[in-house]
Amino acid sequence: MAEDNTYESMLCVKPEVHVYRIPPRASNRGYRAADWKLDEPAWTGRLKITAKGKMAYIKLEDRNTGELFAQAPVEQYPGCVVESVTDSSRYFVIRIEDGNGRHAFIGLGFADRGDSFDFNVALQDHFKWVKQEGELAKLEACQSTAPKLDLSFKEGQTIKISIGNIKKKDAGGAKSRPMGGGLLPPPPGAKAGGIAPPPGGQQPVSAVQANTASLLDLGSPVSAAPPSSDMWGDFTSAGSNSCKDTVKSGWVQFS
């Protein structure tokens, strides 16, 4: 026989539990703890609930030596292995086995109500986990047997994608930027580096100076100022003289 290497986990431990001899059940109404001799338990010791695979085991052990007194294998809960009594929440009836095919029913009681609650919850949580594992295994089996969906392209099959709101760019719409930083070409006849001088070696006369002199004093001759190398000097002297001439001649200057 192959050795079972399944890991055994601990679900619940209670340091004190009482065991009672119970009379045979006379009807199908259920067990009543009041029919037991609650003040005279047949045995008192420690309770452990362990799990190995899908099975749970209720073990009654000696508190000092750890020797096994009785054991109840539980395949499902609620079930016939563990039954609650009808008149109390601290007492149960469990079916123990000796490993040789023989079994017996004994009464199990807790002195504290919280211990009985933990006993009940430990069994419920284990078999809830067993149920979830079974449903998950069935789902995986159904998925493995179901035909797989083939999403690959068949030979000659194409796919068309429509993308909206995209405008085509006009290749000839872009304007070429002018070369040379946007400067205009020089006028014809101009030399590089400045404006060409007038013919005959004459210095250019400021147009502002000529117009100002003619407007300020029409009757008196204007003496020609000697040419100066500074173009703005004539303009400054003409402006200062024009103010004096305007007062003398009676003309009004508009600024």
Side-chain angles (χ1 to χ4, degrees), residues 28-90:
N28 293 329
R29 292 182 305 173
Y31 293 98
R32 297 178 68 253
D35 298 337
W36 308 344
K37 296 180 180 181
L38 299 179
D39 55 346
E40 298 179 1
W43 181 86
T44 299
R46 179 175 58 195
L47 178 139
K48 287 183 179 179
I49 302 178
T50 62
K52 197 171 185 179
K54 297 181 179 180
M55 292 287 296
Y57 297 90
I58 301 173
K59 297 181 180 182
L60 304 176
E61 300 176 348
D62 186 89
R63 288 183 292 184
N64 299 321
T65 63
E67 182 181 0
L68 183 65
F69 172 75
Q71 177 175 272
V74 185
E75 295 183 0
Q76 63 179 2
Y77 182 79
C80 61
V81 179
V82 182
E83 296 182 47
S84 300
V85 297
T86 58
D87 57 346
S88 176
S89 62
R90 295 188 293 113

Side-chain angles (χ1 to χ4, degrees), residues 4-9 11 49-58 72-77 81 122-138:
D4 188 6
N5 295 324
T6 307
Y7 176 75
E8 185 176 17
S9 60
L11 302 181
I49 302 178
T50 62
K52 197 171 185 179
K54 297 181 179 180
M55 292 287 296
Y57 297 90
I58 301 173
V74 185
E75 295 183 0
Q76 63 179 2
Y77 182 79
V81 179
L123 292 173
Q124 287 180 351
D125 289 347
H126 172 71
F127 287 100
K128 182 179 180 180
W129 171 81
V130 171
K131 182 179 179 181
Q132 291 176 351
E133 288 292 317
E135 293 176 352
L136 183 60
K138 291 180 181 179

Side-chain angles (χ1 to χ4, degrees), residues 172-196:
K175 297 181 179 180
S176 60
R177 298 179 61 183
M179 300 299 292
L183 297 178
L184 296 176
K191 294 183 179 181
I195 302 175

